[in-house]
Amino acid sequence: MKNSLKHIILEIHRKEDKLASQNKKLIEEAYEMTTYLQNLLSSVKDFVTNDGFETDVEEIDFFRNIKPQILGKLIYYNKVYRIETSCPVNNGKLYNNYFSNQLAQLKREYIKYICNSDFYRYYRSGRTDRDTIYFKRGNINYHDGLNSIVFEMDPSFSTFFDYKTARIIANELIYTYLLTKINPAEDPDMIFQKPENSKDIFWTESKNSLVELIYALHASGAISHGKIGIRKISLLFQIIFRVNLGDLHHSFHRMKTRAGSRTAFLDQLKISLEEYMDKDL
């Protein structure tokens, strides 16, 4: 059962990558992911309630690491969909004020409900000594004055703290998304101007590979001694290769959590260069 559940996280990443490769509008992507994750969570619930867990370790791992990833992204994509569909304009001062207000509201909620809690400090520190209390079912302590949402949860599929973990994950994603909206890249139309002398220069690998390369150059300080931001570096590459990378931070977050090598493109670059060097020997 454990391997089957972990496989689900890989499937979520594949679904995100597939939608990203289709260059869908953010509203469409958020709606499709919300629907997909809602159905997935329902299927996982049936799986868990019918099959149960073989060990306490398996149960703790599910409610600490697996379910919060599904629920956290469901909360995130649903929030993005609501924000995008309520946005009054497509650009300008009103647009910027709208997303700035959304960010300010997120920060207020974070301060009020998350960052000052004992559980947040526990989770952030990577502690595991109270996992049997936080991530095993049947341990909800109503004397703690918990949020009323606990009464709406199915005790056979929640420990309450798996929900709090999901909120932490969702808030981090929403925060990155809002920062990107408030500080967008330059006018996308400028990126696709095509001078005649560079019409034969274009990127032939995946967009995720280019994002990986950009972040590697930024992290290593290889460009301008690391004194310019990731946005300027990404804009340069988008202009050179005439490709729109969209939400760079979102792509990078998926890269950090993908299965297998997190630096797959850089690994392949090294192999290709070494093979090329060997040809001259």
Side-chain angles (χ1 to χ4, degrees):
M1 179 178 179
K2 184 176 181 179
N3 291 334
S4 298
L5 291 171
K6 285 189 177 296
H7 181 70
I8 288 171
I9 304 302
L10 177 60
E11 288 301 314
I12 293 174
H13 296 156
R14 287 175 177 167
K15 178 69 172 180
E16 289 177 320
D17 288 341
K18 181 180 179 181
L19 289 177
S21 68
Q22 294 173 352
N23 293 322
K24 291 178 177 288
K25 292 181 179 179
L26 185 55
I27 290 178
E28 295 174 339
E29 181 180 343
Y31 177 78
E32 285 196 35
M33 283 303 301
T34 299
T35 304
Y36 167 78
L37 290 166
Q38 186 177 26
N39 292 334
L40 178 62
L41 191 63
S42 178
S43 298
V44 171
K45 179 180 179 180
D46 291 340
F47 187 57
V48 167
T49 53
N50 291 333
D51 289 35
F53 300 101
E54 295 179 2
T55 65
D56 288 349
V57 172
E58 192 175 282
E59 180 177 358
I60 290 169
D61 179 60
F62 174 76
F63 286 110
R64 175 170 181 138
N65 300 313
I66 299 175
K67 183 188 171 187
Q69 286 289 335
I70 304 171
L71 181 57
K73 289 199 170 185
L74 175 57
I75 295 170
Y76 162 69
Y77 281 111
N78 182 58
K79 182 68 173 180
V80 169
Y81 181 78
R82 290 169 57 194
I83 291 174
E84 290 287 332
T85 53
S86 299
C87 185
V89 291
N90 292 325
N91 51 53
K93 186 175 181 179
L94 183 58
Y95 175 94
N96 191 69
N97 288 341
Y98 173 77
F99 284 101
S100 295
N101 289 335
Q102 291 289 335
L103 181 60
Q105 180 181 335
L106 181 70
K107 288 180 178 178
R108 287 194 296 269
E109 292 174 354
Y110 167 77
I111 292 172
K112 184 176 181 180
Y113 297 111
I114 297 180
C115 74
N116 292 322
S117 70
D118 291 337
F119 175 74
Y120 181 77
R121 290 188 289 271
Y122 172 87
Y123 178 75
R124 273 282 169 246
S125 68
R127 288 169 52 191
T128 59
D129 53 288
R130 295 179 62 84
D131 276 5
T132 54
I133 297 174
Y134 289 138
F135 299 111
K136 271 185 59 65
R137 292 166 294 179
N139 292 329
I140 295 177
N141 185 357
Y142 296 98
H143 290 292
D144 289 341
L146 302 175
N147 190 296
S148 59
I149 195 171
V150 70
F151 301 112
E152 302 174 22
M153 293 178 173
D154 183 346
S156 68
F157 190 61
S158 181
T159 71
F160 177 63
F161 289 96
D162 62 272
Y163 168 78
K164 292 179 78 68
T165 304
R167 290 296 318 186
I168 293 171
I169 293 170
N171 275 28
E172 289 181 349
L173 292 171
I174 296 167
Y175 179 74
T176 301
Y177 152 72
L178 290 174
L179 283 182
T180 304
K181 302 297 287 190
I182 294 169
N183 299 296
E186 305 296 331
D187 186 352
D189 293 334
M190 296 296 293
I191 294 173
F192 296 107
Q193 290 182 358
K194 301 179 179 180
E196 286 300 312
N197 61 359
S198 64
K199 63 182 180 181
D200 59 338
I201 300 175
F202 50 92
W203 185 257
T204 52
E205 261 287 352
S206 69
K207 290 184 179 182
N208 283 340
S209 295
L210 185 54
V211 171
E212 188 177 324
L213 176 61
I214 289 170
Y215 268 93
L217 292 170
H218 173 65
S220 66
I223 299 177
S224 300
H225 301 291
K227 294 181 179 179
I228 64 172
I230 194 74
R231 285 178 56 244
K232 287 188 177 181
I233 297 175
S234 69
L235 180 62
L236 175 64
F237 276 85
Q238 289 179 82
I239 292 172
I240 291 173
F241 296 119
R242 290 175 290 157
V243 58
N244 189 346
L245 294 177
D247 190 340
L248 200 73
H249 296 290
H250 187 197
S251 298
F252 181 63
H253 179 82
R254 291 204 301 267
M255 187 189 307
K256 291 195 297 182
T257 58
R258 67 189 178 191
S261 173
R262 297 190 297 177
T263 57
F265 180 60
L266 296 180
D267 296 342
Q268 185 56 51
L269 281 182
K270 181 177 182 294
I271 293 171
S272 298
L273 179 57
E274 289 177 340
E275 290 177 348
Y276 185 78
M277 288 175 172
D278 291 339
K279 290 179 181 178
D280 295 333
L281 295 179

